[in-house]
Amino acid sequence: MLSTVIRSARAIKARPNVSAVRAFSSSTCRRQEIVPTSLNVFSDEEVMLRETVQRFANDVVAPKVREMDENENMDPSIIKGLFENGLMGIETSPDQGGAGMSFTSAIIAIEELAKVDPSVSVLCDVHNTLVNTVIRKYGTEQQKDKWLPQLSESKLGSFCLSETSSGSDAFALKTRAKKDGNDWIINGSKMWITNSYEAEIFLIFANVDPSKGYKGITCFIATKDMGIKIAKKEQKLGIRASSTCTLDFDDLKIPEENIIGGEGKGYKIAIEILNEGRIGIAAQMLGLAQGAFDKSVPYTYQRKQFGAPVGTFQGMAFQFSQAAIEIEAARLLTYNAARLKEEGKDFTKEAAMAKYWASVVAQNVSGKAIEWAGGVGFTRETGIEKFWRDSKIGAIYEGTSNIQLQTIAKFIQKQYS
């Protein structure tokens, strides 16, 4: 599905676009001046991807959202559909089964899925922006050729960093790995691990030399059939269809060849990847806010009181305007961070800003959306209340809101002190 979209978009892209650049030439030189564009300008590939994800979300995901939420279980057909539509290897090279698209394309997919179900969105997000990216960025060519086709075509991935004693202080982890000939033996446990119930491929962070502190942390690839045990599946307030589990590793044997990036490089991998992941969570919260807005506002123009649609009352209209401004600000922060990342520029501060603000907006707008719809919004039938429940996690995972503010404050201090 996605490969067809990409081919069509690239055919369009191949056509000359004289309005995009102005060329100046002389006998000695030729120069092209790039015309600046807004953050609302997307490539043909990105536009077509958005349309593809919108159709999948509305036609395939939407009918199953309430059932999945009530059952606290991801429908296997949804995961299969994500793979079949090419949404699980968005940035991965076509040579390794992926779509070969931009980072912004992944952010678009995450946003569009979240407009319908943030649970499906975060499954796609973690798989693309964390698991795939680690292997694509730090893996050897042999590792990429072995694991990326599987992750693009059929096998869900999970990122295993957090533990009971290492949440915001991620590098206080206690999971240990000891060398045993050509293998490593891992013992310990992980907590709050997204996708872990359905995943078949896991990135596990463990310390190979505690005397070195965080410089002993190493990233390993493992598969569920190696002996990964699901100790507990959490029952959560929101994103209930997204699995969150505690995992136990009891003498888990992993071959030497499954180390990613080299011994002791796990801390560097985690820091860099989580910066990218925060843009993904920002996109999820952005889509969530827009989804709640889109569900609630139309109802207010149908519901009449005192002879007029309640949405036309000034008190309501002004709240809509405020929410729309907040959503647009979150969108600009999110896509600015994504484009900076693509340009190879530092985006750590911008990613923190995007995640922080999008999480705030998601909670504000989804909460207001319930009130706008009145008693109907408070029922589970409309699905509006689910957006509010799902929004609460945005201020917690992949770095709490306080961690984002701390990160931003460090940049401010560096600039002004």
Side-chain angles (χ1 to χ4, degrees):
M1 176 74 74
L2 191 55
S3 59
T4 303
V5 171
I6 295 169
R7 284 197 297 272
S8 299
R10 287 176 179 165
I12 294 170
K13 189 177 180 180
R15 300 171 192 165
N17 185 352
V18 294
S19 63
V21 294
R22 288 178 291 171
F24 300 86
S25 60
S26 67
S27 58
T28 58
C29 68
R30 180 178 180 85
R31 184 180 67 182
Q32 288 186 329
E33 179 181 321
I34 305 299
V35 178
T37 60
S38 76
L39 286 171
N40 288 316
V41 174
F42 297 95
S43 70
D44 295 323
E45 286 181 10
E46 291 164 348
V47 170
M48 289 185 178
L49 172 71
R50 190 183 293 277
E51 293 170 352
T52 298
V53 180
Q54 285 174 346
R55 285 194 296 271
F56 176 76
N58 290 315
D59 296 346
V60 180
V61 177
K64 298 178 182 292
V65 171
R66 186 176 178 188
E67 179 184 359
M68 293 193 298
D69 182 64
E70 298 282 355
N71 295 336
E72 300 188 41
N73 188 56
M74 184 67 65
D75 190 313
S77 69
I78 297 294
I79 301 175
K80 183 180 179 183
L82 289 167
F83 280 109
E84 288 176 346
N85 281 272
L87 301 178
M88 299 301 265
I90 295 174
E91 293 181 84
T92 300
S93 166
D95 294 337
Q96 290 150 341
M101 299 183 78
S102 65
F103 177 72
T104 296
S105 297
I107 297 307
I108 289 170
I110 294 162
E111 179 194 358
E112 292 302 326
L113 288 170
K115 290 178 182 178
V116 175
D117 190 355
S119 290
V120 176
S121 175
V122 75
L123 180 146
C124 181
D125 174 23
V126 168
H127 184 91
N128 275 286
T129 68
L130 297 184
V131 180
N132 286 349
T133 303
V134 167
I135 297 173
R136 204 176 56 249
K137 190 171 181 179
Y138 298 100
T140 64
E141 290 305 314
Q142 291 80 4
Q143 288 171 333
K144 293 176 188 177
D145 289 340
K146 178 178 180 179
W147 299 105
L148 288 176
Q150 298 179 58
L151 288 163
S152 295
E153 296 165 5
S154 62
K155 294 186 177 179
L156 185 64
S158 185
F159 185 87
C160 309
L161 178 63
S162 295
E163 298 180 6
T164 305
S165 60
S166 60
S168 293
D169 184 9
F171 302 130
L173 60 85
K174 295 181 179 178
T175 298
R176 301 290 183 252
K178 292 183 66 176
K179 191 74 183 290
D180 181 26
N182 292 324
D183 299 313
W184 288 86
I185 307 299
I186 295 182
N187 283 282
S189 64
K190 296 291 178 180
M191 200 170 187
W192 317 118
I193 305 304
T194 302
N195 291 354
S196 51
Y197 190 78
E198 302 87 0
E200 295 182 69
I201 297 173
F202 298 77
L203 297 182
I204 301 172
F205 290 81
N207 202 318
V208 302
D209 188 352
S211 68
K212 294 181 179 179
Y214 68 86
K215 292 185 178 180
I217 296 172
T218 301
C219 181
F220 298 85
I221 307 179
T223 57
K224 183 169 282 187
D225 58 13
M226 289 179 176
I228 295 172
K229 299 175 183 176
I230 296 175
K232 178 186 178 184
K233 186 180 179 185
E234 301 292 345
Q235 294 180 303
K236 308 190 298 294
L237 170 71
I239 56 166
R240 292 165 58 176
S242 168
S243 65
T244 305
C245 302
T246 297
L247 304 179
D248 285 344
F249 313 126
D250 298 320
D251 293 331
L252 183 69
K253 182 181 286 189
I254 299 179
E256 172 83 22
E257 66 191 33
N258 283 24
I259 288 180
I260 294 282
E263 288 183 40
K265 301 300 182 183
Y267 77 97
K268 181 177 182 293
I269 292 172
I271 287 174
E272 293 185 359
I273 293 304
L274 286 174
N275 282 332
E276 295 186 24
R278 285 167 181 164
I279 307 175
I281 299 302
Q284 182 205 20
M285 292 295 113
L286 166 62
L288 186 159
Q290 189 67 64
F293 191 91
D294 292 346
K295 270 207 168 188
S296 184
V297 172
Y299 174 79
T300 69
Y301 294 117
Q302 299 166 11
R303 167 77 169 164
K304 290 187 177 181
Q305 291 287 279
F306 308 104
V310 296
T312 62
F313 299 157
Q314 187 181 71
M316 294 283 276
F318 283 8
Q319 290 183 50
F320 300 161
S321 298
Q322 183 66 41
I325 293 167
E326 291 179 358
I327 291 170
E328 185 65 13
R331 179 172 288 110
L332 295 174
L333 283 168
T334 300
Y335 282 97
N336 179 57
R339 291 304 194 197
L340 285 173
K341 187 268 177 188
E342 285 182 350
E343 292 168 6
K345 298 175 182 177
D346 183 48
F347 60 91
T348 303
K349 180 184 71 175
E350 288 76 11
M353 287 179 167
K355 182 186 182 295
Y356 171 80
W357 182 243
S359 298
V360 170
V361 171
Q363 289 192 45
N364 288 347
V365 174
S366 60
K368 286 292 185 183
I370 294 173
E371 298 173 20
W372 297 336
V376 170
F378 195 67
T379 66
R380 293 205 299 269
E381 184 177 353
T382 63
I384 297 172
E385 56 81 35
K386 178 183 179 296
F387 283 113
W388 180 81
R389 288 189 286 110
D390 290 349
S391 75
K392 300 302 291 183
I393 192 60
I396 299 171
Y397 61 9
E398 293 198 34
T400 66
S401 288
N402 281 340
I403 290 294
Q404 307 313 313
L405 292 173
Q406 183 181 53
T407 298
I408 297 164
K410 287 179 180 177
F411 279 93
I412 294 171
Q413 181 178 350
K414 183 179 179 180
Q415 180 179 357
Y416 290 99
S417 64

